[in-house]
Amino acid sequence: MISNELETLVEQRVTYTLQLNGQVYMIENVPARVNPETGEQFFSPSAVEQLQQIILSGQEPDHFVEVPVYHYVA
């Protein structure tokens, strides 16, 4: 029996975060389909293309966020 995961996905706006070349990028209000049980996010091909354009364009961000960074010690 094959489960249809698409039935369990919910349309939401999410914050997409990417670390690239030592920089952290956050893009807010991105349309995604989210699995409410796992939190896994799925993006349409057009959304992915637009995310890439935003990050690679070098345009000025809307605002900046200060983020604390910790090192994991085992």
Side-chain angles (χ1 to χ4, degrees):
M1 181 174 171
I2 297 175
S3 165
N4 187 352
E5 289 185 18
L6 295 178
E7 292 177 12
T8 64
L9 300 180
V10 178
E11 295 283 338
Q12 292 183 350
R13 296 287 176 149
V14 301
T15 298
Y16 179 83
T17 305
L18 172 70
Q19 185 173 352
L20 179 67
N21 299 327
Q23 294 263 70
V24 177
Y25 299 89
M26 292 175 62
I27 302 174
E28 299 175 320
N29 205 31
V30 180
R33 298 181 84 187
V34 180
N35 182 320
E37 293 177 20
T38 65
E40 189 171 8
Q41 300 173 348
F42 299 90
F43 301 95
S44 70
S46 62
V48 171
E49 186 175 316
Q50 190 168 357
L51 288 168
Q52 292 173 344
Q53 288 177 358
I54 291 169
I55 291 169
L56 298 175
S57 72
Q59 72 185 40
E60 187 69 23
D62 295 319
H63 62 276
F64 289 88
V65 177
E66 187 175 335
V67 178
V69 178
Y70 300 91
H71 287 269
Y72 177 82
V73 179

